[in-house]
Amino acid sequence: MHSSFSEQLAGLDLSGFSIGPAPVSTNDFPGHDAVVQTLEAVWSDLFAMVSGTALEADAEDLGWAFVNIFHRSATRKSTAVDRATDEVRALVATADGSEIHTHELETQVERAQCAEGAMLALEEMREVAAALYLNEFGSSWKPVSSSRFNHSAMLTSALVEGREFVRARSEAKRRAAMPEGTPVIFAGGRTRHPNEQDALTLANNVWATLDKVHDRVPDMVLVHGGDTKGVDRLASSWAERRNIPQISFSLDMRLGARAGFKRNERMLSLDPRYVVAFPGNGVLERLVIEAKSRRITVVDRRGPLGTSPKRAAQDTD
């Protein structure tokens, strides 16, 4: 009967209306092992197909799009949870104790929980695909115009009471947007190298420096500018390999020449433990000056190929 009724509704113009079983549990979604095995197989077949062909030059774009499929699906589910949560909030505010109102509230909470369960499952698929992207191309996957939130640690689908669901949803969004831990700012610009050896030396210095900082700050959250063509990319890849939470502050291009300085302010407002500085432009120099004025420890690696300027000066002498 459910299937027949759904088929009839499919022919109607009922935008945003759907019928589905509720509530759901984690057992109603693909298991982690199945997700990993399936996506690894698809990924392997995809790149084996384009290898050695004219499309090999576009492999990274294809890989990025593959991860983005799951990211966009998860984002849409997150939006659905937000809409359902707003409905729950409105019903809680107008509660009159009637049986009809109580049933409507329970139904809306179940819808929100179904959407949330799907969101968590899709986010898990995205993270598995993102790990494949990292292994294939050596860089962290980053969406173009949105954030890569991960709510998996904030599962709220077991909650059934309206007020608790709204409160938990708000907390889950806050924690996903601002991971718990100690902020450490990483900053650096784009550099050109005459050979691959110099580029590799810089990359090794970035990773070695961040490893040392992480030893001192085990709960670090890496904060950076999210530049996919500069040393930020190296830092982001390091964070993903080490399973370190990260927050990227992209430039607000509407601010023109002030964009970089405004980003500095936003990052420093997190009260970081350290600022790790690699070679960059005048905006980065301003960040270092401002950090020191606030008595924030600066790990200065603005010497040649990401070395300490003091050590480089001593070697010259």
Side-chain angles (χ1 to χ4, degrees):
M1 182 180 296
H2 172 82
S3 176
S4 176
F5 187 40
S6 296
E7 290 173 0
Q8 294 177 43
L9 286 174
L12 302 178
D13 185 15
L14 299 177
S15 179
F17 185 81
S18 62
I19 289 182
V24 295
S25 69
T26 54
N27 294 328
D28 294 308
F29 298 100
H32 179 73
D33 290 343
V35 169
V36 172
Q37 292 173 10
T38 301
L39 295 189
E40 283 182 348
V42 173
W43 185 276
S44 177
D45 289 346
L46 174 63
F47 288 99
M49 177 182 67
V50 301
S51 178
T53 71
L55 290 177
E56 188 169 7
D58 300 306
E60 186 166 356
D61 288 341
L62 291 173
W64 184 93
F66 182 80
V67 184
N68 198 50
I69 291 172
F70 302 104
H71 175 70
R72 292 192 63 182
S73 297
T75 300
R76 285 194 293 270
K77 285 298 181 181
S78 179
T79 301
V81 178
D82 288 340
R83 287 199 300 265
T85 304
D86 289 340
E87 290 291 333
V88 172
R89 185 178 289 107
L91 289 169
V92 169
T94 59
D96 57 11
S98 68
E99 184 176 345
I100 294 177
H101 188 280
T102 300
H103 175 72
E104 188 176 359
L105 175 59
E106 291 175 350
T107 300
Q108 196 61 48
V109 169
E110 287 180 351
R111 288 176 179 172
Q113 291 167 349
C114 285
E116 185 175 55
M119 177 193 71
L120 295 172
L122 289 165
E123 284 185 344
E124 180 184 19
M125 294 179 185
R126 180 200 61 202
E127 292 306 306
V128 171
L132 293 171
Y133 180 90
L134 176 65
N135 289 333
E136 185 77 30
F137 303 108
S139 60
S140 179
W141 184 88
K142 183 178 182 293
V144 171
S145 59
S146 60
S147 297
R148 181 178 157 186
F149 292 150
N150 190 353
H151 299 79
S152 61
M154 284 70 70
L155 182 62
T156 58
S157 60
L159 300 174
V160 296
E161 202 279 319
R163 298 178 195 276
E164 292 181 0
F165 182 87
V166 171
R167 189 180 306 117
R169 175 62 182 164
S170 176
E171 177 66 10
K173 290 187 69 176
R174 184 195 68 79
R175 291 182 60 189
M178 180 57 202
E180 293 183 358
T182 303
V184 171
I185 294 176
F186 178 91
R190 299 182 182 184
T191 56
R192 292 180 178 271
H193 304 286
N195 52 65
E196 290 187 6
Q197 184 58 46
D198 282 358
L200 180 60
T201 300
L202 175 64
N204 288 337
N205 285 339
V206 169
W207 280 46
T209 300
L210 289 172
D211 279 335
K212 290 179 180 179
V213 173
H214 185 221
D215 288 341
R216 297 195 176 194
V217 189
D219 66 337
M220 74 178 285
V221 175
L222 186 69
V223 180
H224 58 82
D227 185 2
T228 59
K229 296 182 179 180
V231 291
D232 286 350
R233 179 172 182 170
L234 296 173
S236 182
S237 299
W238 171 87
E240 189 149 345
R241 289 287 190 188
R242 302 290 191 266
N243 199 25
I244 304 297
Q246 50 183 315
I247 305 172
S248 64
F249 284 84
S250 300
L251 290 172
D252 185 350
M253 303 312 296
R254 296 171 300 179
L255 299 176
R258 295 178 49 246
F261 299 103
K262 185 62 178 179
R263 178 170 65 184
N264 288 352
E265 293 177 13
R266 292 169 62 199
M267 292 195 296
L268 289 172
S269 70
L270 299 179
D271 296 325
R273 173 79 175 275
Y274 292 103
V275 169
V276 181
F278 276 74
N281 56 18
V283 176
L284 185 144
E285 300 297 322
R286 192 68 223 172
L287 173 66
V288 171
I289 293 172
E290 184 63 25
K292 291 180 177 179
S293 71
R294 300 188 186 196
R295 299 184 182 279
I296 298 171
T297 302
V298 175
V299 180
D300 197 342
R301 294 294 182 269
R302 291 175 293 168
L305 301 179
T307 57
S308 169
K310 294 182 178 179
R311 182 176 300 176
Q314 292 173 356
D315 293 342
T316 301
D317 294 340

